[in-house]
Every structure is written in C-alpha cells, then in structure tokens.
C-alpha cells in the first residue's frame, strides 16, 4: 500500500528540472520523450503493485471446507477484483503513454540511461508486454472461483 501511495504521489507531482532527470537531457524533444517514458513506467509499476495487492485477496480455490466462511471469501474476491480492475485502468494509461513515447517524431530519440523504459514502450507496442491480457485472465479465473463459492452451502 505504501508503494502505491508513493507512486500516486509521483504521478501527481510536477516534473523537476531536466538537470535532475535520470537520463542526460539536451533539448526539449528529449525532455518530452523522457516525460512520456517516465509516466508510462510509473503506470507499469502501479499495475504491478495492484496485481500484487489483488493476489493477496484472491483465493485461487474454493475448497469445500471453506464453506462456513463463504461470505468472507466472496468479500475477499470482491476486493481482489477491485484491485485487478484498477490495474486494468492503469494498463490502459500505460499503453497511451507508450504510444506517445513511440510517436514517429520521437521514435529515434535516444535516451540510453533509460533504455529499459524505451524497451518497455517497445514491448507494449509489439505486444510482448501485455498486462491487459494477464489482468483479464485473472479476472476470468476469479469469476470462476466466485461462482464456486456462490454455489456452496454455508452449513457444511
């Protein structure tokens, strides 16, 4: 939760002077690409944190012996779903920022000190990094577990 708090603060904060950037910034176009990549990277970190948080409440299995706690488990799954849906929102934002960073006019701007961010943007563009698919898979699986809990008789 603390990581999420600080990442949200980073998204709200103004950008500092380019002198303090993690990459060498020599002109305004590099600064623009840097800001797009930075924002995309923060959204990716938000996704990861919400996936971790959702996994904490995701029950994964509806065992028959959990029937007495059916309602609590359904509540837990609701919390997990909220986390996953929040991650899905952040995924859409990360994709938008990656597209901005990969615009034709910015494509060949080199920022070697943040190459990892550039790689993330490229992987989003070519589909090899797709948290949307992962999140939707988790939501589908969560729904199947929810249905099993809902079918349970609480008096087992």
């Amino acid at each position: 939760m603390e990581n999420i708090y600080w990442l949200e603060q980073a998204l709200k904060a103004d950008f500092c002077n380019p002198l303090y950037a993690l990459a060498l910034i020599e002109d305004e176009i590099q600064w623009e690409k840097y800001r797009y990549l930075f924002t995309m990277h923060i959204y990716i970190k938000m996704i990861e944190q919400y996936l971790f948080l959702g996994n904490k409440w995701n029950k994964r299995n509806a065992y028959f012996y959990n029937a007495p706690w059916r309602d609590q488990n359904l509540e837990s799954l609701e919390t997990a779903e909220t986390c996953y849906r929040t991650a899905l929102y952040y995924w859409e934002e990360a994709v938008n920022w990656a597209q901005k960073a990969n615009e034709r006019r910015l494509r060949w701007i080199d920022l070697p000190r943040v190459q990892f961010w550039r790689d993330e943007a490229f992987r989003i563009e070519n589909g090899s990094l797709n948290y949307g698919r992962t999140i939707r898979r988790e939501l589908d699986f969560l729904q199947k577990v929810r249905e099993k809990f809902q079918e349970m008789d609480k008096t087992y």
Side-chain angles (χ1 to χ4, degrees):
M1 293 297 290
E2 187 176 349
N3 288 348
I4 290 171
Y5 172 79
W6 289 113
L7 289 167
E8 286 173 346
Q9 296 308 306
L11 285 172
K12 292 178 192 175
D14 292 335
F15 274 88
C16 64
N17 191 299
L19 289 172
Y20 304 112
L22 297 174
L24 177 63
I25 305 298
E26 296 176 329
D27 59 31
E28 291 175 7
I29 198 83
Q30 286 179 334
W31 183 231
E32 182 180 3
K33 181 159 184 157
Y34 178 86
R35 290 190 325 263
Y36 293 161
L37 290 171
F38 178 85
T39 305
M40 175 210 63
H41 183 69
I42 294 294
Y43 278 119
I44 288 171
K45 293 299 164 192
M46 291 289 287
I47 294 162
E48 292 170 357
Q49 292 303 309
Y50 273 101
L51 285 173
F52 290 141
L53 194 58
N55 198 41
K56 180 178 178 179
W57 280 288
N58 190 351
K59 294 301 175 192
R60 297 277 174 216
N61 283 305
Y63 296 109
F64 73 94
Y65 52 79
N66 291 128
W69 302 281
R70 182 186 82 137
D71 292 340
Q72 290 87 345
N73 284 306
L74 287 170
E75 246 180 70
S76 184
L77 291 173
E78 190 69 33
T79 303
E81 182 179 3
T82 299
C83 292
Y84 293 149
R85 293 211 180 275
T86 303
L88 194 56
Y89 164 78
Y90 285 127
W91 170 247
E92 292 165 3
E93 289 295 316
V95 168
N96 290 338
W97 287 97
Q99 288 171 345
K100 288 180 182 183
N102 287 329
E103 287 177 2
R104 185 179 183 94
R105 65 188 180 83
L106 298 174
R107 186 166 296 271
W108 306 112
I109 302 299
D110 189 30
L111 298 171
R113 292 186 187 167
V114 290
Q115 182 63 42
F116 180 71
W117 297 352
R118 292 181 64 209
D119 293 345
E120 285 177 331
F122 176 76
R123 290 178 58 219
I124 288 171
E125 184 179 51
N126 76 12
S128 65
L129 177 59
N130 189 339
Y131 277 117
R133 181 176 47 228
T134 302
I135 296 164
R136 283 187 281 282
R137 183 185 64 230
E138 289 296 319
L139 286 168
D140 290 344
F141 188 73
L142 186 139
Q143 182 58 33
K144 291 175 186 173
V145 174
R146 175 184 285 133
E147 289 168 4
K148 289 179 184 176
F149 273 118
Q150 289 170 336
E151 292 170 3
M152 283 184 182
D153 182 9
K154 292 195 298 189
T155 60
Y156 186 83

